[in-house]
Amino acid sequence: MLLFLSVPQPRPPGARTRAGAARVARWRRRRQRLRLQQLRRLRGLLRGLRGRPGADSRRRGRMALCGQAAGAASLPSELIVHIFSFLPAPDRLRASASCSHWRECLFYPALWPQLRICLRVSPAEQPRLEFLMRKCGWFVRELRVEFAAENYLSGGGGPGDGGGADSGTGGEEVEGLQLSTRWLEVLRTYLELVLCVLVSIRNNRNLQKFSLFGDISVLQQQGSLSNTYLSKADPDGKKIKQIQQLFEEILSNSRQLKWLSCGFMLEIVTPSSLSSLSNSIANTMEHLSLLDNNIPGNSTLITAVELERFVNLRSLALDFCDFTAEMARVLTDSNHVPLQRLSLLVHNVSVMHKSLDNMPNDDHWKALSRKSTSLRVYIMAFDIKSEDMLKILKPSIPLERIHFDSYITCVSGAIVDLISRQYDKFLTHFILMNDVIDTSGFPDLSDNRNEDPLVLLAWRCTKLSLLAIHGYTVWAHNLIAIARLRGSDLKVLEVTEESIDFDQGELADQDVDPVHNLIEQVSLGLGQPWHAVMDIESLSVFTEPNRHFYREMQRFSEDI
């Protein structure tokens, strides 16, 4: 292989011509001009940065990069905000404690598109709530606030609860006075916290989702007693009127509101509140939830005429007595988009004061289902008599979830059997809770031991994914049958230990531990480890039924 090398010959003296020298000179002058232009452009850029907000932090950042400074305070604001965007809210709060510069970056609007707050009704919460709402209330796009009164109380569950008192008339009077004082303090604090939230967002034009929940359930269940306490906490009604006016002002000022949800907020929403919404906002509203069983008499929070404006509604939550046949007709009109989620609260208080005569019949439900094939219904029945449930449960309701909660009445086996036969194509969630104090034991739904309605429910409802039971007798062999029938499709099976009973034959068998055998067989049937619920207080569906229904209703409505 041959290699040919080319060796450059040296330039002879005087070979550089005048033309070459001139070319080099021109190249040098052009290079100098380019450098001057770059310097002028850089000076103008720096001059503009000095006049912008946060210029000092950027200068500190440049100095840090050049080795002249170091530390958290030297980072540019944009970089700190970008770092914060990857952190959950609690970690942002902790990180902002590093220095004042980081603290200034904490409440940048882009970091707080949504705000979800759960508050104890306690005076200690007010300063923190005022600070947070002052920082974020004017720009937040999604705001969800929950108030919980029972977490603040101690030594009693509510008005009329006599636990822990000395025996005798004197002890009852003393405890009644103490409860009265505590509940008055709760109501006063509750009104102040609600005012704090509403005042901070009254001029927010960016609000798209607004959700309020007030778990003042014990007061509401007492009916006239709650009105007595409310009149003492707000004697002249000024705060309630101010709250109602603020709520209407927020609705009238809204420009992007698509989700409005208000549950058990104790006379905040009135029958005239929705009239504050402009037609343009009502026409674009996608979710509407108005639940408050404290409304007196036959008044309703929304009428069929008002519902005609909400043509784009995809999700609706109301008291069942307020959902009339005329409303069902309005929702089937051609100018309305198909309704996809409907949540209904059937409460004994509203049933006592209102009538079930105006509720939709089976033809109305068929028309709604034809309008929207994806319509699904969620019902919570609170202390409803069996004869009323037989009127309510029309065959054509596309019922997906049902939640029974009882303090006075009990659900019959006939109701469970009716549900399993009528809604076998849709039912996914079945919750059966009972807190009736009866020394004779929990009620048994199965009149015929060979055909237990809960087993038939698991057999017929092929989409059942959640089953929760407390306060009703569930036989161990039936529980095993439910687990085998549903298998791994039954994602949640919550049965309290005190609700499970065993046959005498299982207890008499000395070779097998009935409890261990039950756990093993149910776990094998479900395809996952299973245990009975040992502590009833761990079930929020039992301890906080209103809150559980409200949160599940929110998820149910969002899952479209």
Side-chain angles (χ1 to χ4, degrees), residues 242-367:
Q242 185 181 359
I243 287 173
Q244 292 173 351
Q245 291 172 358
L246 282 170
F247 186 75
E248 293 179 3
E249 185 178 347
I250 291 168
L251 297 186
S252 62
N253 289 337
S254 62
R255 294 295 179 270
Q256 303 182 43
L257 194 64
K258 295 182 180 297
W259 179 292
L260 178 62
S261 184
C262 191
F264 314 107
M265 285 301 293
L266 201 60
E267 300 185 9
I268 287 182
V269 185
T270 66
S272 61
S273 295
L274 290 182
S275 61
S276 303
L277 280 172
S278 64
N279 287 330
S280 60
I281 296 300
N283 290 341
T284 58
M285 188 78 71
E286 297 179 357
H287 171 83
L288 182 62
S289 172
L290 299 175
L291 298 168
D292 191 351
N293 55 9
N294 200 54
I295 297 299
N298 294 324
S299 59
T300 59
L301 297 178
I302 184 172
T303 63
V305 175
E306 189 73 42
L307 190 63
E308 291 179 352
R309 296 199 300 156
F310 296 83
V311 295
N312 203 42
L313 210 60
R314 290 172 170 81
S315 174
L316 179 65
L318 291 175
D319 189 286
F320 185 86
C321 294
D322 293 344
F323 186 69
T324 61
E326 184 63 21
M327 281 192 177
R329 187 200 62 77
V330 169
L331 292 173
T332 56
D333 287 345
S334 58
N335 61 330
H336 280 254
V337 301
L339 188 70
Q340 299 186 37
R341 295 293 183 268
L342 178 61
S343 301
L344 299 170
L345 173 67
V346 192
H347 200 286
N348 64 326
V349 174
S350 59
V351 171
M352 284 190 299
H353 291 91
K354 301 176 183 179
S355 174
L356 293 175
D357 297 337
N358 297 324
M359 65 180 180
N361 57 32
D362 207 46
D363 291 334
H364 294 117
W365 287 110
K366 289 179 180 178

Side-chain angles (χ1 to χ4, degrees), residues 13 81 105 107 111 147 174 208 261 265 275 279 311 320 322 326 353 366 383 413 422 429 439 487 516 532-533 536:
V81 170
C105 300
F107 291 104
L111 294 175
F147 300 95
V174 171
Q208 298 177 8
S261 184
M265 285 301 293
S275 61
N279 287 330
V311 295
F320 185 86
D322 293 344
E326 184 63 21
H353 291 91
K366 289 179 180 178
D383 264 333
Q422 290 188 166
H429 291 58
T439 57
H516 178 75
V533 178
I536 188 63

Side-chain angles (χ1 to χ4, degrees), residues 509-548:
D509 191 352
Q510 301 295 328
D511 297 332
V512 178
D513 180 3
V515 176
H516 178 75
N517 181 65
L518 173 67
I519 294 173
E520 183 180 6
Q521 293 298 323
V522 173
S523 300
L524 186 62
L526 297 177
Q528 60 180 344
W530 178 87
H531 291 278
V533 178
M534 308 295 289
D535 183 13
I536 188 63
E537 297 297 326
S538 64
L539 281 180
S540 63
V541 65
F542 176 76
T543 56
E544 300 174 320
N546 283 350
R547 183 190 296 268
H548 181 273

Side-chain angles (χ1 to χ4, degrees), residues 387-417:
E387 52 267 27
D388 289 331
M389 286 304 303
L390 291 174
K391 297 178 184 177
I392 291 169
L393 295 174
K394 303 298 182 183
S396 298
I397 298 178
L399 185 65
E400 182 177 288
R401 305 184 181 196
I402 189 161
H403 176 181
F404 289 102
D405 199 292
S406 304
Y407 287 88
I408 303 172
T409 61
C410 295
V411 175
S412 65
I415 295 297
V416 178
D417 185 66

